[in-house]
Amino acid sequence: MATALYSVWLPTILVDVPSCPSDMVIEATRDVVIEFCKRTKALRVDADAFYTVIGDAIYTLTPPADTQIIDVLTLKYNDSKKIEPQLREELDRRSPSWQTLEGTPNSFLSTRPGEIVFDRIPQEVVVVRPFVAVKPSQTSQGVDEFIFEEFKVDIKHGVLAYLFAQPKKDYSNPGLAAYHEQIFERKVWTAKSKAQAGYNSKKQFTCKAHLF
């Protein structure tokens, strides 16, 4: 998939706040897109595949360029076995000594964004393909085109809510800020629900450096 620059939102936003500087709109758009992706987990991609190391259960994943991992959704182990995450409490309940067990992993624990621990210490070298939810980085210039195509208007409401809430601007409007915030919150909830239900479970999007 191509990358949609944050500037592609300018025409649809500036019509409501024509006196707002373009660079401020772009900055606000970046912040809102990051928040939207973080809260909804709607942007789901394949992180770089990696190979297990015998005797090592902890791995750090690499997301696509200009993104950060929010959550590790699933792993495909040895191109055949789907592995899903578990809470530490559940792993401890199953086996208090799970961190020392050896063998083929059945699940994994996310200790922090982008880092996983298998519930078994691998004793073979196999490929692992992670499927993750990501958000754009703070230095990104755009976002996967999927977000623009599917959530263009949703993002617009979030940006307008932010801009109208700015104090002492000629476009300041607390009433409109509250109006757009309410709509944005509903859109976030809807997108999150769709993502949890497998919104793009059959589509795996990756961010590429192709800009337009």
PDB file of all heavy atoms in Angstrom, residues 1-4 6 37 43-48 63-68 132-137 140 142-147 204-211:
ATOM      1  N   MET A   1       0.830  -1.195   0.000  1.00  0.00           N
ATOM      2  CA  MET A   1       0.000   0.000   0.000  1.00  0.00           C
ATOM      3  C   MET A   1       0.873   1.256   0.000  1.00  0.00           C
ATOM      4  O   MET A   1       1.956   1.260   0.551  1.00  0.00           O
ATOM      5  CB  MET A   1      -0.909   0.022   1.234  1.00  0.00           C
ATOM      6  CG  MET A   1      -1.947  -1.080   1.247  1.00  0.00           C
ATOM      7  SD  MET A   1      -3.201  -0.863  -0.018  1.00  0.00           S
ATOM      8  CE  MET A   1      -4.067   0.554   0.636  1.00  0.00           C
ATOM      9  N   ALA A   2       0.338   2.297  -0.614  1.00  0.00           N
ATOM     10  CA  ALA A   2       1.038   3.575  -0.637  1.00  0.00           C
ATOM     11  C   ALA A   2       0.855   4.315   0.682  1.00  0.00           C
ATOM     12  O   ALA A   2       0.038   3.927   1.520  1.00  0.00           O
ATOM     13  CB  ALA A   2       0.509   4.420  -1.794  1.00  0.00           C
ATOM     14  N   THR A   3       1.615   5.367   0.848  1.00  0.00           N
ATOM     15  CA  THR A   3       1.508   6.202   2.035  1.00  0.00           C
ATOM     16  C   THR A   3       0.801   7.497   1.685  1.00  0.00           C
ATOM     17  O   THR A   3       1.175   8.184   0.731  1.00  0.00           O
ATOM     18  CB  THR A   3       2.906   6.519   2.607  1.00  0.00           C
ATOM     19  OG1 THR A   3       3.523   5.295   3.010  1.00  0.00           O
ATOM     20  CG2 THR A   3       2.815   7.457   3.794  1.00  0.00           C
ATOM     21  N   ALA A   4      -0.221   7.849   2.422  1.00  0.00           N
ATOM     22  CA  ALA A   4      -0.934   9.107   2.243  1.00  0.00           C
ATOM     23  C   ALA A   4      -0.288  10.156   3.137  1.00  0.00           C
ATOM     24  O   ALA A   4      -0.239   9.993   4.357  1.00  0.00           O
ATOM     25  CB  ALA A   4      -2.409   8.939   2.600  1.00  0.00           C
ATOM     26  N   TYR A   6       0.106  13.477   5.332  1.00  0.00           N
ATOM     27  CA  TYR A   6      -0.878  14.167   6.175  1.00  0.00           C
ATOM     28  C   TYR A   6      -1.447  15.393   5.466  1.00  0.00           C
ATOM     29  O   TYR A   6      -2.567  15.817   5.751  1.00  0.00           O
ATOM     30  CB  TYR A   6      -0.230  14.574   7.503  1.00  0.00           C
ATOM     31  CG  TYR A   6       0.217  13.391   8.328  1.00  0.00           C
ATOM     32  CD1 TYR A   6       1.533  13.258   8.758  1.00  0.00           C
ATOM     33  CD2 TYR A   6      -0.686  12.382   8.672  1.00  0.00           C
ATOM     34  CE1 TYR A   6       1.937  12.163   9.505  1.00  0.00           C
ATOM     35  CE2 TYR A   6      -0.287  11.280   9.414  1.00  0.00           C
ATOM     36  CZ  TYR A   6       1.033  11.179   9.825  1.00  0.00           C
ATOM     37  OH  TYR A   6       1.428  10.089  10.560  1.00  0.00           O
ATOM     38  N   CYS A  37      -5.091   5.590  15.543  1.00  0.00           N
ATOM     39  CA  CYS A  37      -4.528   4.248  15.343  1.00  0.00           C
ATOM     40  C   CYS A  37      -4.236   3.566  16.684  1.00  0.00           C
ATOM     41  O   CYS A  37      -4.443   2.356  16.822  1.00  0.00           O
ATOM     42  CB  CYS A  37      -3.254   4.340  14.510  1.00  0.00           C
ATOM     43  SG  CYS A  37      -3.530   4.804  12.782  1.00  0.00           S
ATOM     44  N   LEU A  43      -4.977  -0.150  12.187  1.00  0.00           N
ATOM     45  CA  LEU A  43      -3.903  -0.352  11.220  1.00  0.00           C
ATOM     46  C   LEU A  43      -3.104  -1.586  11.612  1.00  0.00           C
ATOM     47  O   LEU A  43      -2.301  -1.558  12.554  1.00  0.00           O
ATOM     48  CB  LEU A  43      -3.004   0.888  11.158  1.00  0.00           C
ATOM     49  CG  LEU A  43      -1.891   0.854  10.114  1.00  0.00           C
ATOM     50  CD1 LEU A  43      -2.445   0.553   8.719  1.00  0.00           C
ATOM     51  CD2 LEU A  43      -1.127   2.167  10.108  1.00  0.00           C
ATOM     52  N   ARG A  44      -3.332  -2.663  10.880  1.00  0.00           N
ATOM     53  CA  ARG A  44      -2.730  -3.963  11.204  1.00  0.00           C
ATOM     54  C   ARG A  44      -1.851  -4.410  10.051  1.00  0.00           C
ATOM     55  O   ARG A  44      -2.281  -4.422   8.898  1.00  0.00           O
ATOM     56  CB  ARG A  44      -3.831  -4.985  11.483  1.00  0.00           C
ATOM     57  CG  ARG A  44      -4.731  -4.534  12.625  1.00  0.00           C
ATOM     58  CD  ARG A  44      -5.859  -5.483  12.933  1.00  0.00           C
ATOM     59  NE  ARG A  44      -6.488  -5.099  14.196  1.00  0.00           N
ATOM     60  CZ  ARG A  44      -7.137  -5.920  14.992  1.00  0.00           C
ATOM     61  NH1 ARG A  44      -7.260  -7.200  14.651  1.00  0.00           N
ATOM     62  NH2 ARG A  44      -7.654  -5.492  16.122  1.00  0.00           N
ATOM     63  N   VAL A  45      -0.616  -4.743  10.357  1.00  0.00           N
ATOM     64  CA  VAL A  45       0.375  -5.022   9.325  1.00  0.00           C
ATOM     65  C   VAL A  45       1.236  -6.219   9.695  1.00  0.00           C
ATOM     66  O   VAL A  45       1.235  -6.681  10.838  1.00  0.00           O
ATOM     67  CB  VAL A  45       1.292  -3.788   9.101  1.00  0.00           C
ATOM     68  CG1 VAL A  45       0.484  -2.552   8.746  1.00  0.00           C
ATOM     69  CG2 VAL A  45       2.140  -3.527  10.335  1.00  0.00           C
ATOM     70  N   ASP A  46       1.987  -6.688   8.724  1.00  0.00           N
ATOM     71  CA  ASP A  46       2.987  -7.719   8.964  1.00  0.00           C
ATOM     72  C   ASP A  46       4.293  -7.045   9.376  1.00  0.00           C
ATOM     73  O   ASP A  46       4.832  -6.224   8.628  1.00  0.00           O
ATOM     74  CB  ASP A  46       3.229  -8.548   7.710  1.00  0.00           C
ATOM     75  CG  ASP A  46       2.033  -9.414   7.350  1.00  0.00           C
ATOM     76  OD1 ASP A  46       1.515 -10.113   8.229  1.00  0.00           O
ATOM     77  OD2 ASP A  46       1.625  -9.364   6.173  1.00  0.00           O
ATOM     78  N   ALA A  47       4.779  -7.348  10.563  1.00  0.00           N
ATOM     79  CA  ALA A  47       6.116  -6.902  10.946  1.00  0.00           C
ATOM     80  C   ALA A  47       7.132  -7.821  10.272  1.00  0.00           C
ATOM     81  O   ALA A  47       6.777  -8.865   9.717  1.00  0.00           O
ATOM     82  CB  ALA A  47       6.272  -6.946  12.465  1.00  0.00           C
ATOM     83  N   ASP A  48       8.401  -7.440  10.318  1.00  0.00           N
ATOM     84  CA  ASP A  48       9.436  -8.255   9.689  1.00  0.00           C
ATOM     85  C   ASP A  48       9.475  -9.644  10.326  1.00  0.00           C
ATOM     86  O   ASP A  48       9.429  -9.781  11.551  1.00  0.00           O
ATOM     87  CB  ASP A  48      10.804  -7.601   9.846  1.00  0.00           C
ATOM     88  CG  ASP A  48      10.956  -6.365   8.962  1.00  0.00           C
ATOM     89  OD1 ASP A  48      10.065  -6.122   8.128  1.00  0.00           O
ATOM     90  OD2 ASP A  48      11.971  -5.661   9.131  1.00  0.00           O
ATOM     91  N   PRO A  63       8.904  -3.139  13.316  1.00  0.00           N
ATOM     92  CA  PRO A  63       7.718  -2.699  12.571  1.00  0.00           C
ATOM     93  C   PRO A  63       8.116  -2.097  11.230  1.00  0.00           C
ATOM     94  O   PRO A  63       9.306  -1.831  10.984  1.00  0.00           O
ATOM     95  CB  PRO A  63       7.127  -1.627  13.489  1.00  0.00           C
ATOM     96  CG  PRO A  63       8.340  -1.018  14.139  1.00  0.00           C
ATOM     97  CD  PRO A  63       9.308  -2.171  14.350  1.00  0.00           C
ATOM     98  N   PRO A  64       7.153  -1.861  10.343  1.00  0.00           N
ATOM     99  CA  PRO A  64       7.452  -1.147   9.094  1.00  0.00           C
ATOM    100  C   PRO A  64       8.019   0.243   9.387  1.00  0.00           C
ATOM    101  O   PRO A  64       7.839   0.780  10.483  1.00  0.00           O
ATOM    102  CB  PRO A  64       6.092  -1.060   8.405  1.00  0.00           C
ATOM    103  CG  PRO A  64       5.300  -2.186   8.984  1.00  0.00           C
ATOM    104  CD  PRO A  64       5.756  -2.299  10.406  1.00  0.00           C
ATOM    105  N   ALA A  65       8.678   0.820   8.416  1.00  0.00           N
ATOM    106  CA  ALA A  65       9.295   2.137   8.596  1.00  0.00           C
ATOM    107  C   ALA A  65       8.268   3.178   9.022  1.00  0.00           C
ATOM    108  O   ALA A  65       7.104   3.153   8.582  1.00  0.00           O
ATOM    109  CB  ALA A  65       9.955   2.577   7.283  1.00  0.00           C
ATOM    110  N   ASP A  66       8.694   4.092   9.886  1.00  0.00           N
ATOM    111  CA  ASP A  66       7.876   5.219  10.348  1.00  0.00           C
ATOM    112  C   ASP A  66       6.641   4.797  11.134  1.00  0.00           C
ATOM    113  O   ASP A  66       5.642   5.522  11.164  1.00  0.00           O
ATOM    114  CB  ASP A  66       7.454   6.112   9.169  1.00  0.00           C
ATOM    115  CG  ASP A  66       8.645   6.775   8.506  1.00  0.00           C
ATOM    116  OD1 ASP A  66       9.575   7.189   9.225  1.00  0.00           O
ATOM    117  OD2 ASP A  66       8.660   6.877   7.262  1.00  0.00           O
ATOM    118  N   THR A  67       6.686   3.619  11.745  1.00  0.00           N
ATOM    119  CA  THR A  67       5.586   3.179  12.594  1.00  0.00           C
ATOM    120  C   THR A  67       6.141   2.636  13.904  1.00  0.00           C
ATOM    121  O   THR A  67       7.330   2.337  14.019  1.00  0.00           O
ATOM    122  CB  THR A  67       4.729   2.077  11.934  1.00  0.00           C
ATOM    123  OG1 THR A  67       5.501   0.877  11.818  1.00  0.00           O
ATOM    124  CG2 THR A  67       4.232   2.504  10.560  1.00  0.00           C
ATOM    125  N   GLN A  68       5.261   2.514  14.881  1.00  0.00           N
ATOM    126  CA  GLN A  68       5.593   1.896  16.153  1.00  0.00           C
ATOM    127  C   GLN A  68       4.554   0.834  16.468  1.00  0.00           C
ATOM    128  O   GLN A  68       3.362   1.034  16.183  1.00  0.00           O
ATOM    129  CB  GLN A  68       5.629   2.939  17.274  1.00  0.00           C
ATOM    130  CG  GLN A  68       6.730   3.970  17.129  1.00  0.00           C
ATOM    131  CD  GLN A  68       6.724   4.980  18.254  1.00  0.00           C
ATOM    132  OE1 GLN A  68       5.693   5.270  18.843  1.00  0.00           O
ATOM    133  NE2 GLN A  68       7.891   5.524  18.568  1.00  0.00           N
ATOM    134  N   VAL A 132       0.831  -7.455  13.549  1.00  0.00           N
ATOM    135  CA  VAL A 132       0.798  -6.481  14.637  1.00  0.00           C
ATOM    136  C   VAL A 132      -0.110  -5.298  14.317  1.00  0.00           C
ATOM    137  O   VAL A 132      -0.420  -5.025  13.162  1.00  0.00           O
ATOM    138  CB  VAL A 132       2.227  -5.955  14.934  1.00  0.00           C
ATOM    139  CG1 VAL A 132       3.153  -7.101  15.321  1.00  0.00           C
ATOM    140  CG2 VAL A 132       2.788  -5.193  13.732  1.00  0.00           C
ATOM    141  N   ALA A 133      -0.527  -4.595  15.374  1.00  0.00           N
ATOM    142  CA  ALA A 133      -1.219  -3.313  15.233  1.00  0.00           C
ATOM    143  C   ALA A 133      -0.174  -2.225  15.443  1.00  0.00           C
ATOM    144  O   ALA A 133       0.636  -2.305  16.373  1.00  0.00           O
ATOM    145  CB  ALA A 133      -2.338  -3.193  16.259  1.00  0.00           C
ATOM    146  N   VAL A 134      -0.189  -1.218  14.566  1.00  0.00           N
ATOM    147  CA  VAL A 134       0.813  -0.165  14.647  1.00  0.00           C
ATOM    148  C   VAL A 134       0.169   1.219  14.610  1.00  0.00           C
ATOM    149  O   VAL A 134      -1.001   1.368  14.250  1.00  0.00           O
ATOM    150  CB  VAL A 134       1.843  -0.268  13.498  1.00  0.00           C
ATOM    151  CG1 VAL A 134       2.593  -1.590  13.550  1.00  0.00           C
ATOM    152  CG2 VAL A 134       1.161  -0.101  12.137  1.00  0.00           C
ATOM    153  N   LYS A 135       0.958   2.201  14.973  1.00  0.00           N
ATOM    154  CA  LYS A 135       0.588   3.606  14.828  1.00  0.00           C
ATOM    155  C   LYS A 135       1.753   4.316  14.146  1.00  0.00           C
ATOM    156  O   LYS A 135       2.906   3.865  14.241  1.00  0.00           O
ATOM    157  CB  LYS A 135       0.316   4.234  16.194  1.00  0.00           C
ATOM    158  CG  LYS A 135       1.536   4.279  17.100  1.00  0.00           C
ATOM    159  CD  LYS A 135       1.240   4.938  18.439  1.00  0.00           C
ATOM    160  CE  LYS A 135       2.496   4.967  19.326  1.00  0.00           C
ATOM    161  NZ  LYS A 135       2.253   5.630  20.612  1.00  0.00           N
ATOM    162  N   PRO A 136       1.497   5.430  13.463  1.00  0.00           N
ATOM    163  CA  PRO A 136       2.610   6.177  12.872  1.00  0.00           C
ATOM    164  C   PRO A 136       3.520   6.741  13.958  1.00  0.00           C
ATOM    165  O   PRO A 136       3.075   7.016  15.077  1.00  0.00           O
ATOM    166  CB  PRO A 136       1.913   7.305  12.102  1.00  0.00           C
ATOM    167  CG  PRO A 136       0.509   6.843  11.906  1.00  0.00           C
ATOM    168  CD  PRO A 136       0.190   6.007  13.112  1.00  0.00           C
ATOM    169  N   SER A 137       4.777   6.929  13.630  1.00  0.00           N
ATOM    170  CA  SER A 137       5.713   7.539  14.564  1.00  0.00           C
ATOM    171  C   SER A 137       5.532   9.053  14.584  1.00  0.00           C
ATOM    172  O   SER A 137       4.900   9.632  13.692  1.00  0.00           O
ATOM    173  CB  SER A 137       7.153   7.202  14.169  1.00  0.00           C
ATOM    174  OG  SER A 137       7.484   7.850  12.941  1.00  0.00           O
ATOM    175  N   SER A 140       6.785  10.722  11.435  1.00  0.00           N
ATOM    176  CA  SER A 140       6.222  10.292  10.149  1.00  0.00           C
ATOM    177  C   SER A 140       5.662  11.476   9.373  1.00  0.00           C
ATOM    178  O   SER A 140       5.212  12.472   9.948  1.00  0.00           O
ATOM    179  CB  SER A 140       5.123   9.251  10.375  1.00  0.00           C
ATOM    180  OG  SER A 140       4.054   9.814  11.121  1.00  0.00           O
ATOM    181  N   GLY A 142       3.371  10.736   6.918  1.00  0.00           N
ATOM    182  CA  GLY A 142       2.089  10.249   6.425  1.00  0.00           C
ATOM    183  C   GLY A 142       1.741   8.931   7.080  1.00  0.00           C
ATOM    184  O   GLY A 142       2.442   8.452   7.973  1.00  0.00           O
ATOM    185  N   VAL A 143       0.652   8.346   6.595  1.00  0.00           N
ATOM    186  CA  VAL A 143       0.154   7.097   7.163  1.00  0.00           C
ATOM    187  C   VAL A 143      -0.275   6.188   6.021  1.00  0.00           C
ATOM    188  O   VAL A 143      -0.519   6.655   4.902  1.00  0.00           O
ATOM    189  CB  VAL A 143      -1.038   7.386   8.113  1.00  0.00           C
ATOM    190  CG1 VAL A 143      -2.242   7.946   7.336  1.00  0.00           C
ATOM    191  CG2 VAL A 143      -1.437   6.138   8.903  1.00  0.00           C
ATOM    192  N   ASP A 144      -0.354   4.909   6.301  1.00  0.00           N
ATOM    193  CA  ASP A 144      -0.809   3.950   5.295  1.00  0.00           C
ATOM    194  C   ASP A 144      -2.102   4.448   4.649  1.00  0.00           C
ATOM    195  O   ASP A 144      -3.023   4.894   5.321  1.00  0.00           O
ATOM    196  CB  ASP A 144      -1.036   2.594   5.968  1.00  0.00           C
ATOM    197  CG  ASP A 144      -1.184   1.469   4.962  1.00  0.00           C
ATOM    198  OD1 ASP A 144      -2.095   1.542   4.115  1.00  0.00           O
ATOM    199  OD2 ASP A 144      -0.408   0.510   5.034  1.00  0.00           O
ATOM    200  N   GLU A 145      -2.150   4.376   3.344  1.00  0.00           N
ATOM    201  CA  GLU A 145      -3.288   4.889   2.581  1.00  0.00           C
ATOM    202  C   GLU A 145      -4.619   4.294   3.048  1.00  0.00           C
ATOM    203  O   GLU A 145      -5.677   4.919   2.910  1.00  0.00           O
ATOM    204  CB  GLU A 145      -3.077   4.589   1.095  1.00  0.00           C
ATOM    205  CG  GLU A 145      -4.086   5.232   0.161  1.00  0.00           C
ATOM    206  CD  GLU A 145      -3.815   4.886  -1.278  1.00  0.00           C
ATOM    207  OE1 GLU A 145      -3.258   3.797  -1.544  1.00  0.00           O
ATOM    208  OE2 GLU A 145      -4.157   5.701  -2.155  1.00  0.00           O
ATOM    209  N   PHE A 146      -4.577   3.101   3.602  1.00  0.00           N
ATOM    210  CA  PHE A 146      -5.781   2.447   4.122  1.00  0.00           C
ATOM    211  C   PHE A 146      -6.504   3.340   5.126  1.00  0.00           C
ATOM    212  O   PHE A 146      -7.735   3.454   5.111  1.00  0.00           O
ATOM    213  CB  PHE A 146      -5.395   1.111   4.770  1.00  0.00           C
ATOM    214  CG  PHE A 146      -6.450   0.521   5.660  1.00  0.00           C
ATOM    215  CD1 PHE A 146      -7.607  -0.019   5.120  1.00  0.00           C
ATOM    216  CD2 PHE A 146      -6.288   0.496   7.036  1.00  0.00           C
ATOM    217  CE1 PHE A 146      -8.587  -0.568   5.937  1.00  0.00           C
ATOM    218  CE2 PHE A 146      -7.252  -0.048   7.866  1.00  0.00           C
ATOM    219  CZ  PHE A 146      -8.413  -0.573   7.310  1.00  0.00           C
ATOM    220  N   ILE A 147      -5.745   3.995   6.015  1.00  0.00           N
ATOM    221  CA  ILE A 147      -6.351   4.859   7.027  1.00  0.00           C
ATOM    222  C   ILE A 147      -7.033   6.053   6.367  1.00  0.00           C
ATOM    223  O   ILE A 147      -8.145   6.447   6.752  1.00  0.00           O
ATOM    224  CB  ILE A 147      -5.299   5.321   8.049  1.00  0.00           C
ATOM    225  CG1 ILE A 147      -4.759   4.124   8.840  1.00  0.00           C
ATOM    226  CG2 ILE A 147      -5.870   6.379   8.991  1.00  0.00           C
ATOM    227  CD1 ILE A 147      -5.802   3.429   9.708  1.00  0.00           C
ATOM    228  N   GLN A 204      -3.745  -7.632   4.900  1.00  0.00           N
ATOM    229  CA  GLN A 204      -2.588  -7.307   5.704  1.00  0.00           C
ATOM    230  C   GLN A 204      -1.841  -6.184   4.994  1.00  0.00           C
ATOM    231  O   GLN A 204      -1.219  -6.390   3.965  1.00  0.00           O
ATOM    232  CB  GLN A 204      -1.705  -8.524   5.913  1.00  0.00           C
ATOM    233  CG  GLN A 204      -2.424  -9.613   6.689  1.00  0.00           C
ATOM    234  CD  GLN A 204      -1.556 -10.791   6.994  1.00  0.00           C
ATOM    235  OE1 GLN A 204      -0.392 -10.837   6.623  1.00  0.00           O
ATOM    236  NE2 GLN A 204      -2.105 -11.776   7.665  1.00  0.00           N
ATOM    237  N   PHE A 205      -1.938  -4.987   5.567  1.00  0.00           N
ATOM    238  CA  PHE A 205      -1.379  -3.808   4.943  1.00  0.00           C
ATOM    239  C   PHE A 205       0.010  -3.515   5.514  1.00  0.00           C
ATOM    240  O   PHE A 205       0.218  -3.611   6.705  1.00  0.00           O
ATOM    241  CB  PHE A 205      -2.281  -2.591   5.190  1.00  0.00           C
ATOM    242  CG  PHE A 205      -3.680  -2.783   4.639  1.00  0.00           C
ATOM    243  CD1 PHE A 205      -4.697  -3.254   5.445  1.00  0.00           C
ATOM    244  CD2 PHE A 205      -3.949  -2.508   3.321  1.00  0.00           C
ATOM    245  CE1 PHE A 205      -5.964  -3.437   4.940  1.00  0.00           C
ATOM    246  CE2 PHE A 205      -5.219  -2.683   2.817  1.00  0.00           C
ATOM    247  CZ  PHE A 205      -6.240  -3.148   3.625  1.00  0.00           C
ATOM    248  N   THR A 206       0.912  -3.097   4.668  1.00  0.00           N
ATOM    249  CA  THR A 206       2.218  -2.684   5.138  1.00  0.00           C
ATOM    250  C   THR A 206       2.503  -1.277   4.630  1.00  0.00           C
ATOM    251  O   THR A 206       2.127  -0.914   3.524  1.00  0.00           O
ATOM    252  CB  THR A 206       3.321  -3.623   4.636  1.00  0.00           C
ATOM    253  OG1 THR A 206       3.254  -3.708   3.209  1.00  0.00           O
ATOM    254  CG2 THR A 206       3.157  -5.005   5.218  1.00  0.00           C
ATOM    255  N   CYS A 207       3.146  -0.489   5.478  1.00  0.00           N
ATOM    256  CA  CYS A 207       3.500   0.874   5.099  1.00  0.00           C
ATOM    257  C   CYS A 207       4.742   0.835   4.238  1.00  0.00           C
ATOM    258  O   CYS A 207       5.740   0.230   4.591  1.00  0.00           O
ATOM    259  CB  CYS A 207       3.758   1.708   6.353  1.00  0.00           C
ATOM    260  SG  CYS A 207       2.338   1.819   7.451  1.00  0.00           S
ATOM    261  N   LYS A 208       4.692   1.506   3.121  1.00  0.00           N
ATOM    262  CA  LYS A 208       5.839   1.572   2.236  1.00  0.00           C
ATOM    263  C   LYS A 208       6.220   3.043   2.042  1.00  0.00           C
ATOM    264  O   LYS A 208       5.436   3.944   2.318  1.00  0.00           O
ATOM    265  CB  LYS A 208       5.517   0.905   0.890  1.00  0.00           C
ATOM    266  CG  LYS A 208       5.168  -0.563   1.018  1.00  0.00           C
ATOM    267  CD  LYS A 208       4.923  -1.183  -0.328  1.00  0.00           C
ATOM    268  CE  LYS A 208       4.490  -2.639  -0.209  1.00  0.00           C
ATOM    269  NZ  LYS A 208       5.477  -3.468   0.449  1.00  0.00           N
ATOM    270  N   ALA A 209       7.396   3.268   1.504  1.00  0.00           N
ATOM    271  CA  ALA A 209       7.907   4.628   1.382  1.00  0.00           C
ATOM    272  C   ALA A 209       7.489   5.289   0.075  1.00  0.00           C
ATOM    273  O   ALA A 209       8.132   6.198  -0.410  1.00  0.00           O
ATOM    274  CB  ALA A 209       9.419   4.610   1.485  1.00  0.00           C
ATOM    275  N   HIS A 210       6.406   4.831  -0.521  1.00  0.00           N
ATOM    276  CA  HIS A 210       5.920   5.438  -1.760  1.00  0.00           C
ATOM    277  C   HIS A 210       4.958   6.560  -1.390  1.00  0.00           C
ATOM    278  O   HIS A 210       3.906   6.330  -0.844  1.00  0.00           O
ATOM    279  CB  HIS A 210       5.196   4.390  -2.613  1.00  0.00           C
ATOM    280  CG  HIS A 210       4.585   4.971  -3.862  1.00  0.00           C
ATOM    281  ND1 HIS A 210       5.336   5.464  -4.881  1.00  0.00           N
ATOM    282  CD2 HIS A 210       3.281   5.158  -4.214  1.00  0.00           C
ATOM    283  CE1 HIS A 210       4.532   5.900  -5.851  1.00  0.00           C
ATOM    284  NE2 HIS A 210       3.294   5.737  -5.454  1.00  0.00           N
ATOM    285  N   LEU A 211       5.344   7.797  -1.666  1.00  0.00           N
ATOM    286  CA  LEU A 211       4.537   8.950  -1.298  1.00  0.00           C
ATOM    287  C   LEU A 211       3.898   9.547  -2.533  1.00  0.00           C
ATOM    288  O   LEU A 211       4.414   9.457  -3.638  1.00  0.00           O
ATOM    289  CB  LEU A 211       5.415  10.003  -0.606  1.00  0.00           C
ATOM    290  CG  LEU A 211       6.219   9.509   0.599  1.00  0.00           C
ATOM    291  CD1 LEU A 211       7.046  10.650   1.163  1.00  0.00           C
ATOM    292  CD2 LEU A 211       5.326   8.930   1.674  1.00  0.00           C
TER     293      LEU A 211
END
